[in-house]
Amino acid sequence: MTRLKLMFSHASVSAMALVAVFGTVILILHAPSWVWLLVPLGFGAQMLNEYNLHRFIFHLPPPKRQWAFDLLYQAHYGHHDFPTNHGLFFVPPWVALPVLVFNFCLFWAAGTLIGGPVAFDIAVAIVLVGGVLMFLGYEWFHMTSHLNIPKTRVERHVTTLHNQHHFRDFSKWFHVSPGGEVIDRIMNTAIDRDALKAKQRIEFIRTLGMRPDDPRLVAARRRFATKYGLSEHEIARAAVS
């Protein structure tokens, strides 16, 4: 229950859960029964979405302009900077909801172009139900991987791989959801534990290669200290670690 409370205290998780409920109601009341068979496609689509967003957007080179850097810091850089900060565990609503709308419109448009008579229902099944359920699963496993609590076998496996991304090589293991490691292997961003142990740890691992006292990092930490409950001690320590 503690994990559920933590998850649903975040606006994006609550909003996406409501979207999943809304999508389910639409399928029950409006869609033909066979459309339910497309829900699992949403799981795979969201895994690809998770990987691509994490690798190609969240790990963009640090912007030079402070306002742009601040956006990326809230989206992901801050999570690497303070990996145990609960407020930085989750995808911000201003990332999650626009991506959701884009994916929904994309699938709806594709279905319409193909000539499907139930293109809207197909988009609902794949994006609003399957995709969002997978998103909620991602948030659960990601949150759990950063908490020091008893874990299931699957949760321990996810934690082991995700810790490699955070504390050994941030250019590897971009997946988090169970099964997503297949995408890392296909995309050549997987590396086994023995290879990582033999590899020198990337310099400035927690700041994604930036010097920890970079003025952009220092400014972002100060700006968001109140929002994420960062203490003066944490901020000072992050600038030298």
Side-chain angles (χ1 to χ4, degrees), residues 147-221:
L147 295 175
N148 186 20
I149 56 174
K151 301 174 185 180
T152 66
R153 182 178 179 181
V154 174
E155 289 168 345
R156 290 196 302 271
H157 177 66
V158 169
T159 299
T160 297
L161 295 183
H162 193 54
N163 279 346
Q164 293 178 33
H165 173 72
H166 269 273
F167 305 115
R168 297 296 297 178
D169 186 345
F170 56 74
S171 68
K172 303 296 181 183
W173 291 126
F174 289 100
H175 88 286
V176 176
S177 301
E181 62 193 88
V182 172
I183 302 172
D184 272 295
R185 296 188 187 283
I186 292 172
M187 297 297 289
N188 200 33
T189 50
I191 185 169
D192 62 56
R193 277 185 290 177
D194 291 336
L196 273 176
K197 288 176 182 177
K199 181 179 181 179
Q200 185 175 0
R201 184 182 180 184
I202 288 182
E203 189 177 22
F204 305 137
I205 182 76
R206 286 179 57 157
T207 49
L208 301 181
M210 300 177 69
R211 291 190 59 84
D213 59 351
D214 186 288
R216 291 165 294 181
L217 280 168
V218 172
R221 292 172 189 138

Side-chain angles (χ1 to χ4, degrees), residues 17 46 48 53 55 72 96 101 107 114 116 133 157 165 179 203 206 222:
Q46 178 56 29
L48 288 171
L53 193 66
R55 180 179 179 183
L72 195 55
V101 171
F107 276 90
I114 293 172
L133 289 176
H157 177 66
H165 173 72
E203 189 177 22
R206 286 179 57 157
R222 291 289 178 189

Side-chain angles (χ1 to χ4, degrees), residues 1 14 21 45 69 75 83 105 128 138 143 166 187 207 230:
M1 290 303 294
S14 297
V21 172
F69 183 85
C105 292
L128 301 192
Y138 157 83
M143 171 191 66
H166 269 273
M187 297 297 289
T207 49
L230 302 175

Side-chain angles (χ1 to χ4, degrees), residues 7-231:
M7 265 190 67
F8 284 95
S9 68
H10 199 273
S12 63
V13 174
S14 297
M16 294 291 269
L18 289 175
V19 168
V21 172
F22 179 66
T24 300
V25 171
I26 291 176
L27 293 188
I28 292 172
L29 298 179
H30 185 262
S33 57
W34 62 264
V35 171
W36 286 93
L37 298 175
L38 302 179
V39 169
L41 291 179
F43 300 163
Q46 178 56 29
M47 283 186 181
L48 288 171
N49 190 58
E50 170 192 320
Y51 179 91
N52 289 323
L53 193 66
H54 189 182
R55 180 179 179 183
F56 299 112
I57 303 299
F58 289 167
H59 279 256
L60 280 170
K64 296 186 183 300
R65 296 182 181 274
Q66 188 65 46
W67 68 266
F69 183 85
D70 286 348
L71 289 176
L72 195 55
Y73 190 86
Q74 291 182 87
H76 197 63
Y77 271 50
H79 173 56
H80 276 267
D81 205 13
F82 299 100
T84 59
N85 184 284
H86 292 181
L88 291 163
F89 283 172
F90 307 101
V91 178
W94 47 266
V95 173
L97 295 177
V99 170
L100 175 73
V101 171
F102 174 81
N103 288 338
F104 180 79
C105 292
L106 182 65
F107 276 90
W108 189 4
T112 301
L113 288 174
I114 293 172
V118 288
F120 176 81
D121 297 324
I122 290 172
V124 169
I126 294 174
V127 179
L128 301 192
V129 180
V132 171
L133 289 176
M134 193 71 240
F135 170 86
L136 295 175
Y138 157 83
E139 293 288 22
W140 175 269
F141 282 100
H142 182 244
M143 171 191 66
T144 299
S145 71
H146 287 280
L147 295 175
N148 186 20
I149 56 174
K151 301 174 185 180
T152 66
R153 182 178 179 181
V154 174
E155 289 168 345
R156 290 196 302 271
H157 177 66
V158 169
T159 299
T160 297
L161 295 183
H162 193 54
N163 279 346
Q164 293 178 33
H165 173 72
H166 269 273
F167 305 115
R168 297 296 297 178
D169 186 345
F170 56 74
S171 68
K172 303 296 181 183
W173 291 126
F174 289 100
H175 88 286
V176 176
S177 301
E181 62 193 88
V182 172
I183 302 172
D184 272 295
R185 296 188 187 283
I186 292 172
M187 297 297 289
N188 200 33
T189 50
I191 185 169
D192 62 56
R193 277 185 290 177
D194 291 336
L196 273 176
K197 288 176 182 177
K199 181 179 181 179
Q200 185 175 0
R201 184 182 180 184
I202 288 182
E203 189 177 22
F204 305 137
I205 182 76
R206 286 179 57 157
T207 49
L208 301 181
M210 300 177 69
R211 291 190 59 84
D213 59 351
D214 186 288
R216 291 165 294 181
L217 280 168
V218 172
R221 292 172 189 138
R222 291 289 178 189
R223 174 166 294 181
F224 301 117
T226 300
K227 180 176 182 179
Y228 297 116
L230 302 175
S231 68

